[in-house]
Amino acid sequence: MIARILLTTGEPAGIGPDLCVKLAQRELACDLSVIGDPLLLADRAKRLGLDIEIRISKAEDIQLHRPGCLKVWPTDNAADPTCGRLSVANVPYVLETIANGVTACLEGRFDALVTAPVHKGIINEAGVAFTGHTEYIAAISGGYPVMMLTAPGLRVALATTHLPLAEVSRNITRERLSKVLTTLKQDLVARFGIATPRVLVCGLNPHAGEGGHLGREEIEIIEPVLEDLRQKGMNLIGPLPADTLFLPKYLDHADAVLAMYHDQGLPVLKHLGFGRAVNITLGLPIIRTSVDHGTALDLAGSGKADSGSLEAAIDEAIGMADRMRRARREGS
């Protein structure tokens, strides 16, 4: 059975709709549906000079994606979006596509949700407390979300996500680290087929605290958690200084890295594979992947947006769905 993938259009003033209609030209090893406004997608295809057939479809209509045809699972219309110009009027549309997509996956209509980029600022301006896709989806679906980005040869998960740097230290707790590492290990096994994951763990402070001279979080929080989880059979190395951890002598023998905060690990990953990297939310009852970039308002409607990251996100979603399906068959 082919994987059923549901794709959101993201912020309608950005490049999300461009990426959806460009993706429609590709050969894809899945059944792909886009959840969004058919008129928005038709208009963006016209702007890009793409001749595609937009077909209104139901989730039960399962068939291999056909290049030049885009199946659309319609939701409420966008409010006449203008390329490159944000509007709070479109926020309800953006949030509804995400919420309806999550619900459809929870109901088993689709195997995975792939999300195009949204603009956090305009959502906040509309009066919605929104810190990111990860947190919003988890509020709907439940679970314990862990953000992980992948690029060819590297996986980086985060102990904390969208926090001001001043708040990171007090959010590195024993309970949080234990939950994040347990979730990371479980999903590396279940969704990536890695029987015994080997995880490198960054320290929080420079030089991993320098024996307590540059901070004591490693001694008082990180090391005790790692030792406790090692006693439970997890293969964890660290805490290691983040400035030397991302070297081949470490990465060549690891399945993932846990960084303590957003800008500790993601600059390395994006330098390695920007445009091919994928954002994956672990710890949810559904599979969710996304692109590694933002809305790129200046490129919307220009035809210059690169769909490489979205294609990689689709491929990751297909791979996870297939592996989980095989695991269920083998376990039954």
Side-chain angles (χ1 to χ4, degrees):
M1 182 177 177
I2 59 175
R4 301 161 298 165
I5 308 298
L6 184 60
L7 170 64
T8 67
T9 55
E11 165 55 51
I15 61 171
D18 301 50
L19 300 179
C20 291
V21 296
K22 291 181 77 170
L23 192 70
Q25 309 299 307
R26 307 284 197 268
E27 290 191 5
L28 302 170
C30 66
D31 171 69
L32 178 70
S33 295
V34 174
I35 182 167
D37 179 358
L39 296 178
L40 166 67
L41 293 162
D43 176 72
R44 201 59 60 90
K46 183 178 179 181
R47 286 177 181 272
L48 270 56
L50 299 177
D51 183 19
I52 65 172
E53 174 193 352
I54 292 180
R55 186 159 60 87
I56 306 301
S57 181
K58 297 180 179 179
E60 293 76 16
D61 177 21
I62 301 172
Q63 57 184 276
L64 187 66
H65 172 73
R66 175 165 56 87
C69 178
L70 190 61
K71 290 170 57 179
V72 179
W73 213 48
T75 190
D76 286 350
N77 294 343
D80 193 22
T82 301
C83 290
R85 188 179 302 169
L86 295 169
S87 171
V88 294
N90 280 315
V91 170
Y93 164 81
V94 171
L95 296 180
E96 186 164 351
T97 59
I98 301 170
N100 288 352
V102 173
T103 299
C105 290
L106 288 172
E107 293 173 348
R109 299 185 179 202
F110 295 91
D111 296 310
L113 180 69
V114 179
T115 57
V118 298
H119 195 283
K120 300 181 186 71
I122 197 65
I123 296 175
N124 293 151
E125 285 182 29
V128 179
F130 183 93
T131 57
H133 266 117
T134 300
E135 297 81 1
Y136 188 75
I137 292 173
I140 299 169
S141 67
Y144 189 84
V146 172
M147 183 176 175
M148 183 176 80
L149 271 78
T150 69
L154 182 61
R155 300 183 185 96
V156 177
L158 300 178
T160 62
T161 52
H162 301 111
L163 289 177
L165 192 57
E167 296 180 15
V168 169
S169 179
R170 65 174 174 267
N171 279 277
I172 300 297
T173 64
R174 292 191 183 192
E175 181 182 16
R176 177 189 286 269
L177 276 182
S178 182
K179 285 184 177 180
V180 167
L181 283 164
T182 300
T183 299
L184 175 59
K185 184 255 185 180
Q186 289 173 343
D187 274 9
L188 288 172
V189 173
R191 301 189 176 188
F192 291 87
I194 303 170
T196 308
R198 191 170 192 263
V199 178
L200 306 180
V201 180
C202 294
L204 173 65
N205 298 295
H207 302 179
E210 195 76 73
H213 295 287
L214 295 177
R216 297 192 58 80
E217 286 87 353
E218 287 78 11
I219 294 172
E220 296 176 359
I221 298 171
I222 302 175
E223 289 177 2
V225 170
L226 299 189
E227 185 55 34
D228 177 62
L229 294 177
R230 289 187 192 110
Q231 295 298 319
K232 297 176 181 177
M234 291 178 61
N235 190 352
L236 305 171
I237 297 87
L240 298 172
D243 63 344
T244 54
L245 178 152
F246 292 96
L247 294 175
K249 70 175 183 178
Y250 293 114
L251 294 181
D252 287 351
H253 307 285
D255 298 298
V257 172
L258 179 68
M260 291 296 111
Y261 56 93
H262 189 281
D263 282 12
Q264 184 183 59
L266 297 195
V268 179
L269 183 136
K270 292 191 177 186
H271 175 72
L272 173 67
F274 190 74
R276 296 172 296 157
V278 180
N279 186 347
I280 301 171
T281 308
L282 308 177
L284 300 178
I286 66 170
I287 295 171
R288 180 259 170 166
T289 68
S290 190
V291 293
D292 67 348
H293 55 74
T295 53
L297 298 171
D298 58 321
L299 296 180
S302 70
K304 297 178 180 178
D306 187 342
S307 62
S309 181
L310 182 59
E311 292 178 42
I314 296 283
D315 288 342
E316 283 281 14
I318 293 170
M320 285 191 283
D322 287 345
R323 283 189 291 270
M324 293 187 72
R325 188 180 300 114
R326 285 196 300 270
R328 284 195 296 268
R329 285 200 304 265
E330 292 168 1
S332 60

